[in-house]
Amino acid sequence: MTTLSSPTQDELKALVGQAALRYVTPGDIVGVGTGSTVNKFIDALATIKDQVRAAVSSSVASTERLRAIGIPVLDANEVEQLSVYVDGADEIDGHGYMIKGGGAALTREKIVAALAQRFVCIADASKRVPTLGQFPLPVEVIPMAAQQIAHRFAALGGEATLRLKDGQPLVTDNGQHILDVRGLHITDPLGWESNINQWPGVVTVGIFAHQKASVCLLGTAQGVETITY
């Protein structure tokens, strides 16, 4: 048996991507997230693609990747419920609450997560934190509201900056912009998510507390640690 002495972050992502296959029920439609760790899960799905009826994806990038390996992708409107949604996280705390949106797909990720009976988070150990907020909080916003939302965060002690790509405001798959908010210490994720979602112009805040993880498959130097919340 080969032991992993010092696995790279990429190897840890591959480990948890493979481990997530055990939550995929043959014949089911699977919810698939977005990001580098999820790409490893999609690579693993390719090995059992004949057992996967279809997928619902949270981004254009994941949709293209799934179709490339021969898995049909359905629109979320075509599905009433999913048994499982597999996605990564930028941070996850001891309750399964997460910050997501580093890959700019937070709105669609939250929509697909809300369809699922179980959210399986796949992450490497660096994503586990005692309190959310060290990772800048992504907030998808309608562009005309960006400045007033930034002011609201400033009143909470946060510094919001517009996310750029090639020197221009990044445009999400939904045609909106993203603010990244630094300096927050999110001790009440449920309350924060509910509050910020009420602000005019906020499309989605990247706190996943109402759609928290049911299980986290955490890649560590000792292998995959399974945490159930």
Side-chain angles (χ1 to χ4, degrees):
M1 177 178 168
T2 305
T3 56
L4 292 172
S5 50
S6 295
T8 65
Q9 194 174 35
D10 203 52
E11 288 168 337
L12 292 177
K13 290 176 179 181
L15 274 177
V16 295
Q18 187 71 36
L21 290 182
R22 68 175 181 265
Y23 293 91
V24 178
T25 304
D28 270 7
I29 301 168
V30 60
V32 179
T34 303
S36 57
T37 309
V38 172
N39 287 343
K40 299 295 187 182
F41 172 61
I42 295 173
D43 292 345
L45 274 180
T47 66
I48 62 160
K49 64 182 181 181
D50 296 338
Q51 300 175 42
V52 180
R53 179 150 56 106
V56 175
S57 157
S58 69
S59 69
V60 172
S62 288
T63 294
E64 291 173 350
R65 203 175 182 99
L66 286 159
R67 286 182 173 150
I69 63 168
I71 293 178
V73 180
L74 303 177
D75 186 280
N77 289 306
E78 299 176 80
V79 178
E80 286 188 16
Q81 193 177 66
L82 299 167
S83 59
V84 68
Y85 175 62
V86 179
D87 201 357
D90 297 305
E91 286 186 341
I92 184 165
D93 71 9
H95 302 283
Y97 301 143
M98 296 167 286
I99 284 182
K100 293 175 51 53
L106 60 159
T107 297
R108 295 189 184 195
E109 288 172 346
K110 201 170 277 193
I111 290 168
V112 183
L115 285 171
Q117 294 173 300
R118 174 184 274 177
F119 188 135
V120 176
C121 174
I122 52 176
D124 64 82
S126 70
K127 306 298 193 293
R128 178 162 53 182
V129 297
T131 307
L132 301 178
Q134 196 168 342
F135 187 91
L137 175 66
V139 187
E140 185 163 353
V141 300
I142 292 170
M144 71 176 287
Q147 198 57 46
Q148 63 171 287
I149 291 166
H151 288 317
R152 281 182 178 252
F153 276 113
L156 296 176
E159 182 186 352
T161 55
L162 190 64
R163 190 181 300 184
L164 303 177
K165 183 179 181 182
D166 301 325
Q168 298 297 316
L170 179 143
V171 178
T172 68
D173 287 349
N174 310 309
Q176 311 298 346
H177 291 172
I178 287 184
L179 291 175
D180 290 307
V181 189
R182 291 164 177 81
L184 299 177
H185 192 64
I186 304 170
T187 54
D188 176 18
L190 282 164
W192 276 66
E193 181 181 4
S194 296
N195 179 30
I196 295 166
N197 274 338
Q198 304 306 312
W199 296 356
V202 168
V203 179
T204 305
V205 59
I207 300 170
F208 280 60
H210 292 284
Q211 271 79 46
K212 76 183 191 79
S214 315
V215 176
C216 180
L217 303 176
L218 204 66
T220 74
Q222 290 72 44
V224 178
E225 180 183 345
T226 303
I227 308 162
T228 304
Y229 303 102

